[in-house]
Amino acid sequence: MQDSDKMALAAQMHVLLRRITGRVTDTEWMVRNPEYARAMVALARQTAVTDRRPELQDCADRLEQALALAQPPAPAAPPAAAAPAPSAASSKAPAPGSIVGAAARYIGRLR
């Protein structure tokens, strides 16, 4: 798929998110940065469910497919004996690399 087609899909999702949630996104950064794109796709899917907007879900699916945003393979877990016990502070924070963690970094700020 050409970059212009990917930009068109990102722009369509930008328009839908702007219209439905008032959220401003960066379409060029969405095409260039897979982490940001995953966060915006996750936000679009969450909004599609909460606001009952199937067109937003469809747009998120098409953008994810166009950008080939399949989740990267999870790193192998260390042996249970070597893993430190979770502290109270770490149990509140989302896991690094998770969609929730990535979306939280982008919510409320622009690039």
Side-chain angles (χ1 to χ4, degrees), residues 6-52:
K6 294 174 186 176
M7 285 291 291
L9 287 170
Q12 184 180 12
M13 194 162 83
H14 165 82
V15 169
L16 287 171
L17 283 171
R18 176 69 185 234
R19 186 180 308 146
I20 296 168
T21 67
R23 168 123 188 158
V24 176
T25 60
D26 187 333
T27 55
E28 184 176 349
W29 193 240
M30 202 180 304
V31 171
R32 303 281 178 235
N33 186 316
E35 184 181 358
Y36 180 73
R38 280 187 199 98
M40 293 302 101
V41 166
L43 176 68
R45 286 188 171 138
Q46 179 184 7
T47 303
V49 170
T50 57
D51 292 357
R52 294 187 209 140

Side-chain angles (χ1 to χ4, degrees), residues 81-93:
S87 65
S90 67
S91 64
K92 294 180 186 175

